[in-house]
Amino acid sequence: MDIRIDIDRLKNDLEELGRIGRDAHGGVSRPSFSPADLEARRWLRKRIEDAGLCYRQDGAGNQFGRLECAAKTVMAGSHIDTVPNGGMFDGAAGVLAALEAARRIVEEKVPLAKALEVASFTDEEGNLVGDFLGSRAFMGRLDENEVRTGKTSFGMPFADVLKKTEFTVASILAAHKDRPELDAYLELHIEQGPVLEDEGVPIGIVEKISGKHYRQCAFVGESGHAGTTPLELRHDAFLGLADFALKATQHVATKHYGSMLTVGRAALHPGSFSVIPGRADFTLEFRSAAPDDLAAIEREVFALAEDVASTRGLKFVSRVVDTTTPVAVAPRLLDLLEEECRSLGYGSMRITSGAGHDAQILAGACDSGMIFIPSPDGVSHSPGERVNWDDLEKGANLLLRALLKLAA
Ligand SMILES: [Zn+2]
């Protein structure tokens, strides 16, 4: 059946949602459970109900719009929370494209053989307690201690944030009990990188989603007087970090092409003009789309760190903060999306997602796939985040077609 989405209505939805949580710097600040997010949730609920879908919400605040059927569920969605001062398309494009697709199916009264559900997952951005709170809760993959004692990225105990909502630690931990049996999950998302625009291709079919390791690390040396301690007698923790960061980046760039390594934050102690740094704390993040690669990077990079530490008379310490596993998208979804692109006459290419997405978490329950549309200039997590409406229309039409095939 050849039905298409209504891009004007989808554009209008995105613009309306994009005004909720609009901040003074022209971006959108709508972290989960903030007043702006609670307003956005009410707005989304209304849009879901107006579309003729059956609204439900689970104990983690994940919101759903369902077209009921006794068989397994085909799900499509993303998230509507944002990073502070983020953009209006990251996540929202996926939720509202899925809503538009379901709305068209309702309007055309297309008979489906499976249930269809639109999903919006809580706190994909990890402002509360680690990334993917909502989809991890949905999957029953949350660590109870993390939820009970976690601190938000704004420094507030998560338990205090919850008090301002209808949710509790217990309701979050029980959210997965409401999960329907899933057949497949699809997520449309902006690419958040420059590849599709560079290639001049409107659709990216995600083949792999990178996994990542977050580590909090430190080199520990000895503080000393910066005027009286000769250079050759120092145990300078900063130099250890600098040496390590260069060598580790070089190693990944040459031995694991396509993988990433980043030192995103560093703090020197005691941190003064005239004192040799006795300790350098830093975050270390590495990503890869291949599980073996991720394990190899960890092994090799930590060997490098030990090597640097022993050469410079330092100690290297590290602890795990978070890890996600790389996901390979099921061939049946890749084939389906490619076939539908061909029949719609849209150019497409396979692409690896360097960023994590709810689709990666859902892959633990069913075949899970993603459709990327170009991010002009590769800009994301910023007020400058944009889409070309033409591309969004293509992406949403592809999503609609794929959902129709999956649920037929
Ligand atoms: Zn996102």
Side-chain angles (χ1 to χ4, degrees), residues 78-81 89-92 124-125 132 187-190 192 355-358 370 380-381 385:
S78 194
H79 60 96
I80 61 165
D81 67 307
F89 298 101
D90 176 359
E124 189 270 348
E125 299 291 1
F132 314 117
E187 180 166 355
L188 176 146
H189 206 281
I190 56 171
Q192 304 180 282
H357 295 285
D358 291 311
M370 294 193 78
S380 183
H381 281 192
E385 195 174 86

